Each structure stands twice: as structure tokens, then as C-alpha cells.
Amino acid sequence: MTDRALAVVRAGALTTVQDLGRPGHAHLGVPRSGALDPYASRLVNRLAGNAVDAAVLETTLDGCAVRPRCAVTVAVGGAPCPVTVDGRPVAWGSAVRVAAGALLEVGRAVRGVRSYVAFGGGVAVEPVLGSRSTDLLSGLGPAPLGDGTVLPLGPPPPGPARFGTTPWPAPPDELVLRVRLGPRHDWFTEAALRTFATRPYRVSPAGNRIGLRTSGPPLERAVAGELPSEGMVLGAVQVPPDGCPVVFLADHPTTGGYPVVAVVRERDLAAAAQAVPGTPVRFVPVGGGRP
């Protein structure tokens, strides 16, 4: 048994293996998946000396605890949280050396939602369709972590770890999502489009890796019929029967039957990954969008 591995002591609410995803397979019904906050995933990999596309752990709200079987460089970033090694506080947002057999504890997020944990060499589970990412919708990739799970690590990276502090964007106090009107915006009344662009929404606690759900004023339909299923893209803002927009995230379905009123710019979606329930949301049309 190789010592280039780690054992999961506490899996937390939802901890998954993620890299930068498996784009290019929507025609097979496979979404991109990958880290919901790719900026954070890339940065912790750089801190650990890895290539930016190495697989990391993505935690949700309450972190996780792992015990590496070998000495390894670790970096924790994304949502700020306490980090300890054998009970002693260590730096968040910087590379940390963890001895073989020591307990690395990634604590509850004090702001934001998702923390990212990179290990020197990356998490080396078997790739599926070119990615090691867990896809909650299709079931591809490794299962979400459970207590006792053992994950292999790759060879130590050739690049040096970065032990200095690094600036990080703060989780949003207000989530501003820039949008272009979508292919079915004409299924909504002019008043609904004004509401969408001017009224505040809030992040709903019902969201997950598939989509960020919102609560707020419902959008009135101008067309009462139903659509056949059609292709969906990352960032699509779909409006289900309750009228409240849903922003599709990395594990989104590749087809859907509810009308898409707009599409969020991809660069804004990392902030959506860190928006806690109750965060105000504003949709801002750009590029000639109405009203």
C-alpha cells in the first residue's frame, strides 16, 4: 500500500474531489462539473506547487479533517476558515507542511461557503472523461467523501510551494451577476424583465452545486405554454414555475424545459459559489440587454 495517500477522518457536510472539470461532453449529457470557485482552486494549487488543474478537495460550510500518510505540503483557501494541524493553528491562504500521520482540520467557514484544500501532487483518483471531478448530477467521478475514505496522492510536484501570504477576494456581501438576455426572454412580460433587472433577490438555502436558487419577486410569463427540453449552458438563468430565477452552476443538467431568461457571465460565477443563503442578489443586464 502506497504512503502517498490520505485518510478522511471527518468528511463534513459535503466534501468532493474537484479539478477544473470535463468540458466538451454536453452532447453526451455530461456537464462540465469542476470546482465551483475555480479561482480558489487554481490559487491553492499554485500555493502547493501544483499545476493549476490538479485535483483538490472542495468542502461545504463545515470543512473536513484528513490524516495524510506521508509528509505533504497543503494549502487551504476559498472561504476563510480556521485551519489546524494536530490542534495547533496554522496559516489559511498559505502553504503549510503537514507531517505524516498528523491531523489536518479544515474548520467551519467564517465567511463564504466553499473552502478548497490542495495537497502537493494533487488528489490522484482515476480520471473519468479526462477529469477527476465529482459530478453530483450524473454520478461520474469519485463519490462524495465519507469518513474513512482513503484518497491517493500524486508524486510530489516539481514546483516550489509558496509559503507567503496571498491576497484573496472576500466572499460577497452582495452578489452582482452580470447577464445577457437569454434565448427565451420573450417568454416573459416587459414588466417581468424590468423586475428581473431592478428588483433585489436573495440566495435561497435550497441551492447546491447544480444551481443557485433565489427568492424574491416572481417573474410573470408572457407565454403560458411549455417548452420541449433544449440545451442548457453554464450560467443559464432558468425560471421554474414559481417564477424565481435559478442560476445553473457546474453540475447543471445539459438540457432543460423551463425558459432561460438570461445567462450570467462566467467570470461572475465564482462569487456565486461563495454566496451564503440570504445574500442579496442583483441581476445586471450588459451588452445591450434590456431594460
Side-chain angles (χ1 to χ4, degrees):
M1 181 182 297
T2 178
D3 66 352
R4 294 290 302 170
L6 59 87
V8 178
V9 177
R10 182 180 66 84
L14 176 64
T15 301
T16 59
V17 176
Q18 300 294 339
D19 53 22
L20 297 183
R22 48 178 69 85
H25 300 289
H27 64 295
L28 301 176
V30 177
R32 180 186 305 190
S33 195
L36 288 194
D37 186 344
Y39 175 86
S41 176
R42 289 185 178 99
L43 190 46
V44 291
N45 271 322
R46 290 192 183 102
L47 289 169
N50 294 334
V52 295
D53 59 351
V56 302
L57 300 185
E58 178 185 274
T59 73
T60 308
L61 292 176
D62 69 345
C64 68
V66 300
R67 195 181 299 276
R69 293 176 172 171
C70 58
V72 64
T73 299
V74 176
V76 181
C81 62
V83 184
T84 62
V85 175
D86 282 342
R88 297 185 302 274
V90 297
W92 173 93
S94 180
V96 173
R97 193 70 176 167
V98 179
L103 180 67
L104 171 71
E105 176 82 26
V106 179
R108 176 175 292 274
V110 295
R111 290 192 64 192
V113 177
R114 295 173 174 90
S115 299
Y116 291 84
V117 191
F119 302 87
V123 179
V125 295
E126 283 295 318
V128 178
L129 294 177
S131 171
R132 294 180 167 90
S133 289
T134 299
D135 177 351
L136 297 182
L137 186 66
S138 72
L140 294 177
L145 271 57
D147 296 354
T149 299
V150 175
L151 296 173
L153 298 175
R162 299 183 183 181
F163 290 93
T165 57
T166 300
W168 290 81
D173 293 321
E174 179 184 48
L175 183 59
V176 178
L177 300 176
R178 293 167 293 177
V179 299
R180 294 183 183 274
L181 289 182
R184 301 297 177 184
H185 72 272
D186 56 351
W187 279 50
F188 298 89
T189 65
E190 290 292 331
L193 296 179
R194 286 194 298 274
T195 294
F196 177 69
T198 60
R199 296 281 298 278
Y201 288 82
R202 289 191 178 273
V203 174
S204 165
N208 53 26
R209 282 186 47 87
I210 295 170
L212 180 145
R213 293 183 176 273
T214 67
S215 60
L219 300 182
E220 182 184 7
R221 293 265 294 264
V223 178
E226 296 300 328
L227 283 166
S229 288
E230 55 188 2
M232 293 289 145
V233 298
L234 182 68
V237 183
Q238 196 180 61
V239 182
D242 68 3
C244 291
V246 177
V247 180
F248 275 174
L249 301 178
D251 286 359
H252 70 87
T254 56
T255 61
Y258 298 136
V260 172
V261 67
V263 178
V264 176
R265 285 190 173 185
E266 187 171 340
R267 70 187 72 172
D268 292 349
L269 294 176
Q274 300 295 2
V276 299
T279 299
V281 182
R282 283 196 298 121
F283 295 101
V284 180
V286 295
R290 292 181 296 163

